[in-house]
Amino acid sequence: MNSIDEKLQPILAEVVRRNAGEPEFHQAVHEVLESLGRVVAKHPHYLDHALIERICEPERQIIFRIPWVDDKGQVQINRGFRVQFNSALGPYKGGMRFHPSVNVGIIKFLGFEQTFKNALTGMPIGGGKGGSDFDPKGRSDAEIMRFCQSLMTELHRHLGEQTDVPAGDIGVGGREIGYMFGQYKRLNNRFEAGVFTGKALAYGGSRARTEATGYGNTYFVQAMLETKGTSFDGKKVVVSGSGNVAIYTIEKVQSYGGKIIACSDSSGYVVDENEIDLDLLKDIKNVRRERISEYARRRGQGAHFIAADKGSIWDVPCDVAMPSATQNELSGKDAATLIRNGVIAVGEGANMPSTPEAIKAFQDAGVMFAPGKAANAGGVATSALEMQQNASRDSWTFDQTEARLATIMRGIHDSCYQTAEEYGAPGNYVLGANVAGFVRVAEAMRMLGVI
Ligand code: NDP
């Protein structure tokens, strides 16, 4: 890891002490503090009134029991979380994740990242995140519904369109949002469309929300490539994952002339030298909900599957890498392989998918690197557009919404780029994103007094 300014070191030490056993949260705070040395050197007033310490402490953390009955009549118990991290810029805003790896440290890291990401969008939204250690794999539709209803029976009292607005994340798509919103509506006896985003169009969703994170990451990387006079056209691209973010990244990159040659899920990855067939991938993942090995089986010649324990998707030579599955999925060793194979740009679709060692390796090698908190902000930005449509009881066309998304992503790119220049680190998007996001949140907090 890079070093942290000595004035900021005690802040990290205190975060580590008070949040023992939460390595992902420590990692996320470390990365931001690393960037803030240049800020406090220029503007020492940010060290006053424990402002940075307060930004590192969530405003509220809710942990609760989720009892539910499975299809065999057995009672199951999961744990639910909602970390309401920062509301200086607007209501808490961030997705819900259902995955067995979820714990309070993971949700805290995601909520912390979300705070800066949301600030970068320029929209009036604070930062939050939630989820459960529930594993949706293999569960029936009825089980998913009972689980979502039980979760919301507890969580509803902490939400509200002016208070806290959840959305989807890993394991939470349109179906789960429908069940949670339905239960919220029932318990509150109020149709409060703006309390959830990622809703289906039928009851207040926004066009382009499903596509927004993947499309947004593609716009960001395209803008980054343009700064070096190049583009996606004709480039070989590897996208990890095959969920919401990955699929719409593939769609947009292909429309820009990029050639996607590999994607994955947690069981392994597929390589298709003829280019990934997106219709086939969507059928396997979104319709049949099958494993990625099915892709190679159905595609036939030119495509093959490699199991997760037999290799890494980052062994596949490419010009652009777009990690879009989960945190810490791209290690320092993977980065070294990508660099050796000639990668020129990396755009993080997932949250914190690259380890600190990987980020350092990319930066040292001069690889253009777009951090998730900037590059994947298109999802939450479009969620904020969904809230706007709900507030005005309006519904925009796909083209209108996508045009707003494209403008927002260009704005985020330019703000990161210019901030990096202003703070003496040209081309360092990690620093640009951390500093631009931090300054927006910190300025609002300063004006609101000691909160
Ligand atoms: P999905 O659940 O739709 O897809 C996740 C994909 O990643 C699946 O292919 C899944 O494989 C794979 N994956 C998940 N966990 C692991 C793991 N531990 N190891 C290997 N592969 C894994 O989630 P999303 O596409 O919505 O989210 C992907 C990432 O993007 C997350 O980091 C999320 O926080 C981030 N993100 C999402 C946004 C959104 O709008 N959805 C917005 C901003 C960021 P399998 O099915 O086998 O588990």
Side-chain angles (χ1 to χ4, degrees), residues 173-446:
R175 173 180 61 169
E176 292 74 18
I177 286 171
Y179 293 148
M180 287 191 275
F181 178 72
Q183 184 74 348
Y184 179 88
K185 189 174 79 58
R186 205 171 157 203
L187 290 163
N188 290 279
N189 191 27
R190 210 168 46 229
F191 192 99
E192 199 183 323
V195 73
F196 254 95
T197 62
K199 301 182 295 296
L201 267 182
Y203 62 93
S206 172
R207 291 185 176 81
R209 173 62 188 92
T210 310
E211 295 84 355
T213 308
Y215 279 21
N217 187 22
T218 310
Y219 294 138
F220 193 103
V221 174
Q222 175 74 12
M224 194 165 74
L225 291 168
E226 281 170 15
T227 67
K228 302 273 187 208
T230 184
S231 75
F232 269 113
D233 197 24
K235 300 272 186 310
K236 279 192 176 184
V237 183
V238 169
V239 176
S240 64
S242 48
N244 171 268
V245 177
I247 281 183
Y248 292 101
T249 301
I250 295 173
E251 188 165 286
K252 195 43 112 183
V253 169
Q254 287 184 336
S255 80
Y256 278 150
K259 190 174 166 193
I260 308 281
I261 48 168
C263 64
S264 65
D265 66 14
S266 57
S267 69
Y269 64 100
V270 287
V271 183
D272 186 344
E273 289 300 343
N274 297 319
E275 180 166 21
I276 293 288
D277 176 340
L278 187 56
D279 290 337
L280 176 59
L281 185 69
K282 280 185 178 171
D283 183 58
I284 289 168
K285 285 295 169 182
N286 293 350
V287 181
R288 296 167 190 256
R289 297 181 190 260
E290 290 171 336
R291 310 311 294 153
I292 199 76
S293 52
E294 267 306 291
Y295 178 91
R297 198 187 64 74
R298 284 175 59 188
R299 180 81 158 143
Q301 223 178 8
H304 59 282
F305 168 74
I306 294 140
D309 58 353
K310 296 278 185 302
S312 158
I313 189 171
W314 309 119
D315 296 340
V316 181
C318 61
D319 304 304
V320 182
M322 302 180 81
S324 307
T326 195
Q327 65 273 359
N328 291 328
E329 55 161 309
L330 197 165
S331 67
K333 184 165 163 275
D334 295 326
T337 310
L338 283 164
I339 293 164
R340 214 170 32 249
N341 288 334
V343 76
I344 61 162
V346 178
E348 293 190 323
N351 284 312
M352 213 168 75
S354 312
T355 64
E357 296 74 23
I359 297 174
K360 185 165 185 319
F362 289 134
Q363 290 178 331
D364 289 350
V367 173
M368 288 178 267
F369 180 82
K373 68 166 74 72
N376 73 29
V380 76
T382 309
S383 278
L385 299 179
E386 183 174 335
M387 291 162 77
Q388 269 186 31
Q389 292 171 74
N390 294 150
S392 58
R393 299 190 185 279
D394 199 358
S395 176
W396 307 343
T397 64
F398 192 96
D399 289 351
Q400 242 178 320
T401 319
E402 196 192 351
R404 290 282 303 267
L405 168 66
T407 306
I408 292 168
M409 292 313 297
R410 171 63 69 169
I412 297 173
H413 171 273
D414 293 353
S415 145
C416 295
Y417 186 85
Q418 284 153 13
T419 306
E421 296 233 311
E422 187 187 329
Y423 282 85
N428 186 339
Y429 287 89
V430 174
L431 185 127
N434 286 336
V435 172
F438 167 80
V439 167
R440 284 187 194 156
V441 178
E443 276 307 306
M445 283 183 74
R446 248 163 37 90

Side-chain angles (χ1 to χ4, degrees), residues 38-199:
R38 289 172 196 250
V39 180
V40 296
K42 216 170 168 176
H43 306 292
H45 65 274
Y46 285 129
L47 289 166
D48 297 342
H49 309 300
L51 182 61
I52 301 175
E53 289 86 335
R54 280 186 282 138
I55 285 183
C56 294
E57 179 72 17
E59 288 177 18
R60 190 172 298 106
Q61 305 178 52
I62 302 147
I63 303 183
F64 53 100
R65 178 171 68 201
I66 310 175
W68 57 283
V69 182
D70 69 17
D71 286 347
K72 295 190 190 113
Q74 302 287 319
V75 174
Q76 302 280 342
I77 299 167
N78 286 99
R79 190 170 284 179
F81 304 91
R82 188 76 190 163
V83 173
Q84 300 180 327
F85 220 106
N86 195 301
S87 60
L89 294 175
Y92 309 107
K93 180 86 198 82
M96 296 288 287
R97 176 177 291 191
F98 294 171
H99 194 270
S101 64
V102 164
N103 57 45
V104 70
I106 301 254
I107 298 299
K108 230 186 266 179
F109 118 64
L110 289 164
F112 182 74
E113 293 271 300
Q114 193 83 45
T115 300
F116 302 107
K117 177 189 311 192
N118 294 2
L120 279 173
T121 66
M123 317 287 277
I125 41 178
K129 198 83 187 187
S132 172
D133 58 2
F134 172 70
D135 186 357
K137 281 210 186 76
R139 290 294 176 190
S140 70
D141 197 52
E143 289 177 318
I144 301 271
M145 182 179 75
R146 287 196 294 275
F147 172 78
C148 289
Q149 291 179 336
S150 179
L151 179 151
M152 196 46 62
T153 302
E154 174 58 31
L155 189 61
H156 79 101
R157 71 192 85 243
H158 303 288
L159 306 181
E161 63 184 4
Q162 310 292 350
T163 311
D164 186 351
V165 182
D169 191 76
I170 292 178
V172 178
R175 173 180 61 169
E176 292 74 18
I177 286 171
Y179 293 148
M180 287 191 275
F181 178 72
Q183 184 74 348
Y184 179 88
K185 189 174 79 58
R186 205 171 157 203
L187 290 163
N188 290 279
N189 191 27
R190 210 168 46 229
F191 192 99
E192 199 183 323
V195 73
F196 254 95
T197 62
K199 301 182 295 296

